[in-house]
Amino acid sequence: MIAVKTEKLRHVYSPQTPFEKVAVDDFSLEIEEGEFVGVIGHTGSGKSTFIQHLNGLMKPTSGKVFIHGRDMWADPKKIREFRFMVGLVFQYPEYQLFEETVEKDIAFGPTNMGLSAAEISDRVRTAAEFVGLAPEVMQKSPFELSGGQKRRVAIAGVLAMQPKVLILDEPTAGLDPKGREQIFSQISEYHKKTSSTVLLVSHSMEDVARHAKKVLVVNDSKLFAFGTVNEVFARTEELTAMGLSVPQVTKIFTELKRRGFDVADNIFTVEQAKTELLRLLGKAGGNNA
Amino acid sequence: MENIINAQQLVFAYSGEKEAALKGVSVSVSKGEMVAVLGHNGSGKSTFAKHLNAILLPSGGVCYVGGINTADEDKLLDLRRTAGMVFQNPDNQIVATIVEEDVAFGLENLGIPPEEIRERVDSALKDVGMYKFRLHAPHQLSGGQKQRIAIAGIIAMRPQLIILDEPTAMLDPRGRAEVIETITRLNRELGMTVILITHYMDEAAACDRIIVMDDGRLLIDDTPKKVFSNVALLKRVGLDVPQATEIVYELKKCGIDLPDDIITDEECVEALASLLSKKGEVQA
Amino acid sequence: MLKDITIGQYFPGESAIHRLDPRMKLIMTTIYIVALFVANNVGGLLVCVAIGLAGYLISGISLSMVKKSLKPIMPIIIFTAVLNMIFVDGKPIFEFWIIKATYEGLQLAVLMVIRIVCLIAGSSLLTYTTSPIALTDAVERLFDPLKKFNMPVHELAMMMTIALRFIPTLIEETDKIMSAQKARGADMESGTIIDRARALIPILIPLFVSSFRRADELALAMECRCYHGGEGRTRMKQLKYTGNDFVALAVLVMVLALVIAMNLILPSMY
């Protein structure tokens, strides 16, 4: 099943004016249901514009978007249905919190969907569990919480809509390493348990390599690459040339390879690096050590 | 070397909080050093930084910056022109609607004569590489550029010390690189003392010295190499290490002999290369 | 998009008018407005029209900009013109039921329209050719003597500067919050007026919260940069009147004198 499909998707800002700018230039791609896709690209590359097309916040200048086979703009009146199918967590989502209590804030999305009270409270509870919010937090004002907690409340607010496709725009921006780790493991957990499709926008190649199966690279308004982590990060030189870089371990291994060592060229995480080095050093099985 | 920061046993508790945010922190920094402060959120690192220019005053202990006791109210302006501070969100520290006017803001507050302001503003803008943007409006700039403007606004006051509280947290990699490059240059070329609070280990690795804080206390205070050799300890207090360090650490855990002061990619490549060649010789 | 809106409508340029001292431009605009209201006949108003046109020609700003700035107040102009036409007594042009349009009324309506158009065009020329910050500056310095009477002149000017600085930031932020709430299914486009007003809550609350946070951080950053009010403060940019400023002032004073002379020579039309 194809979860997300775009056909020659194109978006032009301020068309027919001197400020005309093509932000998304003919993107055609298919994302399988249940995939975990990392989205990388510079600020201003067009990736934010692109992801806002996937839940109908932006309307294509031309081209089409299909979610689970349905043409998004076939009937513009039904666009809200797509917003519920594709959940979008913006950068710094804690700035959108507004309700008196955490519980009510998480319930905002499900309430807009017109669900029953029982269903809403059920979803709010599940979503809160996913992001590790303790029950006693639920009746607090979201404004009393710490930065990391607010972030998780905001993410729960989108998870509670139980979208088929979940898009997160730099969900860990500005957090400390511990907070980053927590959010990533919660997202992974959510992905595994619900087998929903996840798109993760990130500037950290290390994080993308660790969590995503596939990588989508946007550069200069064009879809530069869409493939498995191996395929995409193998293009180290091109990625570096566009200033995107690759994970630090990959750089180390590329350099080793350049120096004539017979190392594998698909090393993207510390875990993989360790296994590979132990193999080379003749300590197979060291993986379990 | 003369100490620019001399903090002795600083204690501080926010009102309404039971636990102290600083529980006796003593740090001295000499002129021209570039010091990173690491620690997870709530470790007290920001609180510590805010003591350096009297945004907060210690309830216990004493803090001297550039020879001024931070608790001396009469010298507040002197202190603040000695120790400049750059904050996380570039948007919320730019006051004026034109870049050069903003850089001039601090100098105008200090009552510097107009001709000298002009001179200092131009030179500060050149120091951060933003001179050609001097007539732009701040909202036309990228995050990294805005942060460099904020830095220019501080260095125009010619401080001896510049404190940066997570200046790169809200920036993309390009902006981060711009800002770090600028800070490093200020330190290396103009000899400015830098205190850099950050969550990014690679930024910390590039400093002369790292202070790790945890639970309101100073946990480690050493060179980056020494600090990052404590991988287990760092992980326990919610911090990371560079991937180069982590690989070496993992291999060492498996009984492979490697130096434990590796923090950069190059060092890691060297160490692994020599390890792999040795292995090759043995097999040959 | 919201963020495409430019506030203040300033068009940077290098014309003689752009280069005039903002204080002088403020004074000149005031004289111009006085002249417009003093003029009580066609002659005087024509002088005003002429000098206005000259201003636009020198500044290099297209007259179509005047049309643009008039657009929002067009209904008011038409309304006043019609009122003038039908409520002034005199020789009738036509009569219909109880409505009677008069020649005198028509005359007055035309004068009124010219006056309003000149008023808008003249003050627009000030904002088109002067950056908001220069204007703020001019206001602060012109009203400087009022500080003696405990008027918070500096504080007001600082507030204006900060407001100008944060308008684009807040517009962008509003845009973002709206998108975020729409992504959570907020419906802002349909329903009754009450529904729509209620739909604003999820946007306004985060906007307020974030504005307060920004204000807090900005205040701290300003203090760290040694801000302690207007006392002892110097300015990088010194405003200095040049020869051109006095020539321009002289021209405007002559316009006013000419208008007054016209009033004496020609019969008043009121």
Side-chain angles (χ1 to χ4, degrees):
Chain A
M1 179 78 180
I2 306 292
V4 177
K5 180 179 170 186
T6 65
E7 255 178 29
K8 294 215 160 217
L9 177 65
R10 186 177 170 81
H11 191 93
V12 184
Y13 283 117
S14 328
Q16 276 133 36
T17 70
F19 309 105
E20 178 170 307
K21 187 182 181 302
V22 180
V24 173
D25 197 354
D26 286 353
F27 281 25
S28 296
L29 59 92
E30 287 180 358
I31 297 172
E32 286 281 342
E33 192 176 351
E35 258 174 354
F36 197 128
V37 181
V39 181
I40 60 179
H42 283 301
T43 310
S45 61
K47 64 178 195 301
S48 298
T49 310
F50 168 66
I51 58 170
Q52 291 191 52
H53 279 85
L54 301 185
N55 76 340
L57 277 177
M58 286 193 147
K59 199 173 175 180
T61 308
S62 63
K64 282 186 172 167
V65 180
F66 298 89
I67 303 296
H68 282 245
R70 281 178 61 193
D71 182 354
M72 185 180 280
W73 291 97
D75 180 1
K77 283 196 198 95
K78 292 191 175 155
I79 195 66
R80 277 177 80 217
E81 290 176 21
F82 288 94
R83 305 234 168 106
F84 300 131
M85 279 167 82
V86 182
L88 176 53
V89 178
F90 276 87
Q91 218 176 28
Y92 300 103
E94 58 273 28
Y95 294 156
Q96 76 202 24
L97 302 175
F98 71 99
E99 275 287 9
E100 294 155 60
T101 67
V102 169
E103 186 174 35
K104 280 189 188 170
D105 208 291
I106 300 177
F108 182 65
T111 309
N112 286 330
M113 294 169 82
L115 302 171
S116 71
E119 173 82 21
I120 291 174
S121 83
D122 193 45
R123 284 182 172 212
V124 169
R125 195 161 22 80
T126 324
E129 270 167 29
F130 267 123
V131 298
L133 289 171
E136 63 267 23
V137 174
M138 300 304 281
Q139 298 309 321
K140 282 195 181 167
S141 156
F143 300 111
E144 302 171 21
L145 306 180
S146 75
Q149 276 178 316
K150 278 186 202 164
R151 177 79 50 99
R152 285 184 277 144
V153 171
I155 294 175
V158 174
L159 295 186
M161 302 195 299
Q162 300 187 351
K164 291 193 161 73
V165 180
L166 176 67
I167 308 175
L168 302 115
D169 189 354
E170 285 201 71
T172 62
L175 297 182
D176 63 2
K178 200 171 163 188
R180 284 204 283 262
E181 202 41 55
Q182 238 173 2
I183 298 233
F184 276 132
S185 66
Q186 283 155 0
I187 293 167
S188 288
E189 192 65 21
Y190 174 84
H191 172 69
K192 263 185 228 144
K193 280 205 179 138
T194 61
S195 63
S196 52
T197 315
V198 176
L199 272 75
L200 171 74
V201 179
S202 177
H203 283 309
S204 161
M205 303 303 145
E206 285 80 13
D207 291 335
V208 167
R210 255 190 4 196
H211 300 282
K213 283 276 167 322
K214 287 186 127 186
V215 183
L216 193 155
V217 188
V218 184
N219 187 45
D220 208 6
S221 311
K222 297 218 165 42
L223 180 62
F224 170 75
F226 178 46
T228 62
V229 170
N230 282 359
E231 286 162 7
V232 173
F233 284 139
R235 300 167 77 172
T236 308
E237 274 177 28
E238 287 165 277
L239 289 174
T240 316
M242 60 179 78
L244 278 177
S245 91
V246 291
Q248 213 187 343
V249 273
T250 310
K251 280 187 212 158
I252 292 170
F253 271 74
T254 313
E255 180 59 21
L256 284 173
K257 182 136 191 135
R258 203 185 58 81
R259 294 197 185 182
F261 293 100
D262 186 24
V263 294
D265 48 15
N266 58 349
I267 304 299
F268 312 109
T269 65
V270 171
E271 193 56 35
Q272 290 168 342
K274 178 180 156 192
T275 314
E276 171 67 3
L277 286 167
L278 289 174
R279 185 186 67 78
L280 288 168
L281 294 167
K283 289 207 177 187
N287 202 9
N288 306 323
Chain B
M1 263 291 210
E2 196 185 331
N3 278 350
I4 181 143
I5 297 175
N6 218 329
Q8 292 301 324
Q9 291 299 321
L10 294 184
V11 177
F12 180 82
Y14 287 98
S15 61
E17 301 272 327
K18 271 176 278 161
E19 237 194 296
L22 291 184
K23 302 170 181 169
V25 174
S26 301
V27 175
S28 39
V29 174
S30 43
K31 263 191 183 153
E33 271 192 291
M34 182 156 168
V35 184
V37 183
L38 293 178
H40 63 84
N41 287 339
S43 61
K45 59 185 190 320
S46 253
T47 310
F48 169 68
K50 288 190 172 120
H51 277 78
L52 298 179
N53 70 345
I55 294 173
L56 299 174
L57 294 175
S59 53
V62 59
C63 185
Y64 279 93
V65 173
I68 301 169
N69 185 340
T70 60
D72 187 346
E73 274 179 46
D74 297 335
K75 294 208 172 131
L76 188 62
L77 284 187
D78 281 337
L79 174 68
R80 288 193 169 156
R81 67 194 292 183
T82 307
M85 191 150 193
V86 175
F87 296 88
Q88 189 185 85
N89 190 334
D91 266 328
N92 298 351
Q93 50 190 322
I94 295 179
V95 186
T97 47
I98 298 174
V99 164
E100 61 174 19
E101 297 261 354
D102 187 73
V103 177
F105 181 75
L107 301 173
E108 295 179 334
N109 292 334
L110 292 172
I112 310 278
E115 312 76 53
E116 194 185 337
I117 297 184
R118 179 81 255 173
E119 215 173 281
R120 288 210 209 173
V121 165
D122 288 349
S123 96
L125 280 168
K126 283 173 190 160
D127 285 339
V128 300
M130 288 296 289
Y131 184 69
K132 67 174 176 198
F133 293 97
R134 64 190 180 283
L135 296 177
H136 278 60
H139 70 268
Q140 298 169 316
L141 305 177
S142 73
Q145 290 174 326
K146 278 188 251 189
Q147 202 60 295
R148 277 148 72 198
I149 295 306
I151 294 173
I154 295 299
I155 62 171
M157 296 198 291
R158 308 256 159 97
Q160 301 177 45
L161 166 70
I162 176 165
I163 307 146
L164 303 109
D165 193 352
E166 294 187 40
T168 57
M170 300 184 73
L171 306 181
D172 63 359
R174 213 180 256 176
R176 272 181 60 201
E178 279 170 29
V179 168
I180 291 301
E181 196 259 339
T182 307
I183 300 171
T184 314
R185 199 149 35 79
L186 292 178
N187 173 258
R188 303 284 185 260
E189 287 171 21
L190 303 180
M192 209 168 279
T193 314
V194 172
I195 304 289
L196 172 66
I197 297 170
T198 182
H199 283 318
Y200 289 103
M201 302 305 139
D202 51 334
E203 293 174 3
C207 292
D208 303 324
R209 172 177 162 197
I210 299 178
I211 291 173
V212 180
M213 294 196 56
D214 186 51
D215 193 27
R217 290 194 177 84
L218 195 141
L219 188 68
I220 320 176
D221 178 358
D222 217 323
T223 60
K225 281 182 182 297
K226 290 270 168 52
V227 169
F228 285 125
S229 63
N230 296 305
V231 179
L233 178 61
L234 290 176
K235 294 213 164 190
R236 205 171 64 232
V237 298
L239 295 175
D240 237 336
V241 293
Q243 281 194 328
T245 312
E246 197 169 357
I247 295 175
V248 172
Y249 170 72
E250 290 291 332
L251 290 176
K252 280 170 72 86
K253 269 207 304 199
C254 298
I256 291 162
D257 185 35
L258 279 166
D260 58 5
D261 62 351
I262 285 172
I263 54 175
T264 67
D265 292 5
E266 295 76 39
E267 289 164 353
C268 183
V269 169
E270 285 308 327
L272 292 178
S274 83
L275 188 69
L276 290 170
S277 347
K278 253 187 252 162
K279 171 76 190 164
E281 281 159 30
V282 173
Q283 275 174 344
Chain C
M1 276 226 279
L2 275 174
K3 61 179 154 198
D4 293 334
I5 302 171
T6 53
I7 304 291
Q9 289 276 308
Y10 166 56
F11 298 100
E14 282 294 316
S15 77
I17 294 198
H18 280 90
R19 279 183 280 123
L20 288 179
D21 188 296
R23 288 171 299 178
M24 192 53 88
K25 281 192 266 191
L26 211 58
I27 296 169
M28 285 164 61
T29 310
T30 315
I31 298 177
Y32 187 63
I33 293 170
V34 170
L36 280 171
F37 282 93
V38 168
N40 64 6
N41 55 59
V42 179
L45 280 177
L46 283 181
V47 173
C48 292
V49 172
I51 191 72
L53 276 175
Y56 272 85
L57 279 179
I58 298 169
S59 71
I61 299 219
S62 153
L63 277 172
S64 65
M65 288 314 302
V66 179
K67 223 166 70 189
K68 236 186 203 165
S69 49
L70 282 175
K71 221 174 176 182
I73 58 154
M74 221 34 165
I76 301 173
I77 298 181
I78 295 171
F79 184 68
T80 28
V82 170
L83 277 190
N84 265 305
M85 246 153 73
I86 57 181
F87 283 113
V88 175
D89 261 342
K91 219 169 88 193
I93 308 172
F94 67 85
E95 264 175 284
F96 174 71
W97 189 40
I98 54 164
I99 297 167
K100 187 174 82 175
T102 62
Y103 280 107
E104 285 78 1
L106 182 64
Q107 267 180 6
L108 223 52
V110 171
L111 286 190
M112 196 59 134
V113 170
I114 295 177
R115 187 174 282 154
I116 296 176
V117 170
C118 284
L119 187 69
I120 301 291
S123 41
S124 299
L125 188 60
L126 175 69
T127 58
Y128 288 156
T129 60
T130 319
S131 72
I133 190 130
L135 263 184
T136 315
D137 224 19
V139 171
E140 178 173 2
R141 285 174 218 232
L142 275 179
F143 292 101
D144 198 60
L146 293 183
K147 277 182 189 161
K148 284 197 198 91
F149 306 104
N150 280 331
M151 282 275 287
V153 177
H154 165 75
E155 286 73 10
L156 287 172
M158 184 53 82
M159 282 197 284
M160 255 168 87
T161 307
I162 292 173
L164 285 169
R165 154 71 187 82
F166 277 89
I167 284 168
T169 310
L170 290 179
I171 288 177
E172 199 178 318
E173 179 134 39
T174 313
D175 228 14
K176 246 190 250 167
I177 295 172
M178 268 168 71
S179 297
Q181 305 300 25
K182 272 197 211 160
R184 292 208 279 167
D187 183 5
M188 285 167 242
E189 278 111 35
S190 60
T192 63
I193 292 182
I194 296 171
D195 287 339
R196 286 189 201 202
R198 198 172 291 145
L200 285 178
I201 294 174
I203 293 162
L204 292 181
I205 291 180
L207 199 59
F208 277 126
V209 171
S210 110
S211 302
F212 281 119
R213 183 177 42 83
R214 283 182 192 282
D216 228 29
E217 288 181 17
L218 183 71
L220 187 61
M222 285 170 72
E223 272 182 42
C224 287
R225 292 170 73 184
C226 303
Y227 182 68
H228 54 280
E231 217 188 300
R233 214 166 175 266
T234 48
R235 302 303 304 269
M236 173 171 71
K237 288 203 179 130
Q238 293 299 303
L239 292 181
K240 233 199 201 141
Y241 294 118
T242 63
N244 282 344
D245 291 308
F246 294 110
V247 172
L249 179 64
V251 171
L252 257 289
V253 171
M254 266 155 60
V255 167
L256 184 59
L258 213 57
V259 166
I260 293 171
M262 293 282 192
N263 279 2
L264 298 176
I265 302 162
L266 299 171
S268 166
M269 299 178 96
Y270 290 98

